[in-house]
Amino acid sequence: MTLSYDQLRALDARHVWHPFTQAGTAKPAILALGGKAATIYAADGREYLDLVSSWWVNMHGHGNPAIAQAIADQAQRLEQVIFADFTHEPAARLAQRVTALLPGDLNRVFYSDDGSTAVEVALKLAHQYWRNLGEDRSVIVAFEGGYHGDTVGAMSAGHSSGYFNAWKQMLFPVETIPFPETWDGDAEVEAKEAAALAALDRVLAAHPDRISSVIIEPLIQGASGMRMCRPEFLRALEAKIRTARTLLIFDEVMTGFCRTGGYFASAKAGVTPDLLCLSKGLTGGFLPLSMTVARDFIFDAFWGQDLSRAFLHGHSYTANPLGCAAGLASLDLLQAPACQARITEIEAQHRRRLDRLAGAPNVAHTRLCGTVAALDVTGSGQGYGAGISDRLKTAFMERGLLLRPLGHVLYLLPPYCITDAELERAWDVVEEVLGSV
Ligand SMILES: Cc1ncc(COP(=O)(O)O)c(C=O)c1O
């Protein structure tokens, strides 16, 4: 039985609970029928240019035929297998190919399902690493505004992002230090970096031999408003951590796979963290999959004859073969010279359009890192629930752009297949809308 557009929307309204949504005030969900490259097609005939890569996952846009084919082929061979006692070709090959692009000896991949679980695994690995060494280190240090996902450990590390007030009592304490966010023409950046490092010194001094790890979203804090820091800061952070004897975790769930221009923010900054989390772009947006990558010495600390030293953690769909096959196909696309050239062009195009907007009366703090461009819309409320966010979103949707401001922060994070003309049109609409709010 074929259901009409209205019947499907009624089923959704009756039975589906949407994420990050107040059902009492939200407009009915848009029924997506299909997607091709940077465009999403809705059942009511409207089209939306996806400038947020559908929550930062669809690196190559929608409906990429090469990834779809790789999944179909893999589904004919092996759709899923228990990942204890068994392995399979896509998992082994994907682990080898991703680690080959990572800096240093980040060689060992632990698979899980999404960004939150990748972070949860990193935090648990860090904790048990010290335990296996006979040390009791349970303090985690995170950065103000950091967002690491919605599981309890990830929420605890991201408590200052402001997303988790409903669960404050569930979270374990985490030490938080300032994130030295910067933007075009920022004269204070070095002072902010020095203040952040001094705050880290104070936390280290307050908890001698108790800190298990320091976690950061490198180069760009995503959910708290595309807040950017300099690679110089990450190098200084790494140097401090090496003398402090604790572990450095890079949450590259959003920054991975060329979002920041380089393949990974870590490689771009020239920093080798001890643990690194990847998800989102890993499968090109086709399937949920994630990795926590560990340096060799971390894996070695779990090695032995004793089960209690092992990492007794796993998920039913760990290293799902379809997801891994999608990951391999997505990497082929990403490493193609044409895709790499397009990433460079997107950054240049963003730069030109940001510079044009920089003097506008309601625009501040323009910033750019790789394919992520952002600015603050001034003269409005701040924060996730700021009214300006909804007004802007509605104005963009009416003009066929999927753009979801984070509070007063407007950002563009397009799929790499977006054409020059599509991106120009998007920026034209941004200029028009900002001129009228
Ligand atoms: C940096 C970062 N870490 C972790 C997560 C959580 O990922 P997921 O939503 O796939 O659980 C996100 C999601 O936006 C993120 O941006």
Side-chain angles (χ1 to χ4, degrees):
M1 184 183 67
T2 312
L3 296 180
S4 72
Y5 171 50
D6 286 338
Q7 285 171 319
L8 282 170
R9 280 176 63 157
L11 284 186
D12 181 89
R14 174 67 188 90
H15 295 292
V16 180
W17 196 330
H18 286 268
F20 294 112
T21 300
Q22 171 49 266
T25 56
K27 297 191 185 72
I30 298 164
L31 182 60
L33 282 189
K36 194 81 209 137
T39 303
I40 299 169
Y41 300 97
D44 62 0
R46 300 193 59 135
E47 297 180 6
Y48 299 92
L49 194 58
D50 187 350
L51 290 151
V52 295
S53 302
S54 281
W55 259 339
W56 320 343
V57 301
N58 286 78
M59 275 190 321
H60 307 295
H62 298 273
N64 184 281
I67 304 178
Q69 189 62 52
I71 294 171
D73 292 346
Q74 182 59 42
Q76 299 294 325
R77 285 193 291 272
L78 177 69
E79 78 301 335
Q80 165 67 6
V81 67
I82 178 172
F83 207 60
D85 296 329
F86 286 83
T87 191
H88 50 81
E89 182 177 343
R93 288 184 54 216
L94 185 62
Q96 184 275 322
R97 282 189 61 187
V98 170
T99 54
L101 294 171
L102 290 172
D105 62 343
L106 280 159
N107 288 328
R108 188 66 68 161
V109 170
F110 192 95
Y111 283 104
S112 60
D113 304 341
D114 52 41
S116 305
T117 54
V119 168
E120 211 73 25
V121 165
L123 297 174
K124 285 178 71 174
L125 280 174
H127 184 92
Q128 191 183 343
Y129 167 82
W130 293 110
R131 190 172 183 274
N132 284 0
L133 262 53
E135 296 189 38
D136 173 19
R137 288 173 181 251
S138 53
V139 179
I140 292 165
V141 180
F143 283 81
E144 274 165 17
Y147 175 85
H148 301 286
D150 290 346
T151 50
V152 172
M155 284 200 294
S156 301
H159 72 99
S160 67
S161 65
Y163 286 97
F164 308 124
N165 294 338
W167 304 282
K168 260 187 185 145
Q169 273 76 23
M170 281 179 72
L171 307 185
F172 55 78
V174 163
E175 291 286 351
T176 313
I177 58 177
F179 182 81
E181 69 171 317
T182 189
W183 43 78
D184 297 338
D186 177 14
E188 313 287 316
V189 61
E190 284 175 13
K192 286 185 270 188
E193 290 173 356
L197 293 171
L200 178 58
D201 279 338
R202 285 194 293 278
V203 171
L204 289 166
H207 304 277
D209 301 325
R210 295 277 297 126
I211 295 177
S212 70
S213 57
V214 177
I215 182 166
I216 186 169
E217 291 165 85
L219 295 182
I220 312 177
Q221 280 190 337
S224 66
M226 299 299 153
R227 300 167 82 216
M228 302 185 184
C229 75
R230 299 193 309 167
E232 287 88 337
F233 174 69
L234 297 177
R235 290 194 283 275
L237 176 69
E238 183 192 35
K240 202 163 271 304
I241 281 173
R242 295 300 162 232
T243 54
R245 212 176 149 262
T246 181
L247 300 178
L248 179 59
I249 302 175
F250 272 11
D251 176 355
E252 290 224 41
V253 166
M254 189 276 278
T255 56
F257 304 104
C258 295
R259 265 301 156 210
T260 67
Y263 276 106
F264 299 97
S266 44
K268 183 171 175 176
V271 173
T272 304
D274 302 304
L275 291 157
L276 182 139
C277 308
L278 296 171
S279 187
K280 297 224 183 247
L282 176 58
T283 66
F286 271 71
L287 287 162
L289 183 74
S290 62
M291 292 179 163
T292 308
V293 190
R295 292 180 62 191
D296 287 335
F297 73 90
I298 300 216
F299 181 77
D300 293 346
F302 290 73
W303 196 87
Q305 307 303 313
D306 178 358
L307 191 62
S308 68
R309 280 183 84 79
F311 188 50
L312 301 182
H313 176 114
H315 302 274
S316 314
Y317 282 92
T318 292
N320 172 255
L322 305 180
C324 294
L328 287 166
S330 176
L331 263 188
D332 287 343
L333 295 168
L334 186 67
Q335 292 184 284
C339 184
Q340 289 297 309
R342 186 67 197 124
I343 287 165
T344 309
E345 285 163 13
I346 290 171
E347 178 163 10
Q349 212 173 341
H350 278 335
R351 181 76 277 160
R352 279 197 307 278
R353 299 303 303 247
L354 272 179
D355 288 349
R356 242 169 80 162
L357 266 171
N362 55 350
V363 170
H365 299 166
T366 55
R367 48 201 186 270
L368 172 66
C369 184
T371 61
V372 185
L375 55 87
D376 293 355
V377 182
T378 55
S380 58
Q382 305 242 319
Y384 189 71
I388 185 73
S389 167
D390 273 348
R391 276 192 286 136
L392 286 171
K393 187 172 82 173
T394 304
F396 290 128
M397 294 293 251
E398 283 168 2
R399 290 161 178 77
L401 298 191
L402 174 51
L403 272 173
R404 295 170 52 92
L406 293 156
H408 66 293
V409 176
L410 178 59
Y411 73 94
L412 277 71
L413 193 153
Y416 306 148
C417 63
I418 195 166
T419 66
D420 200 74
E422 286 169 334
L423 192 52
E424 277 311 295
R425 177 166 77 79
W427 276 111
D428 288 345
V429 173
V430 166
E431 273 185 19
E432 180 214 323
V433 168
L434 286 178
S436 64
V437 287

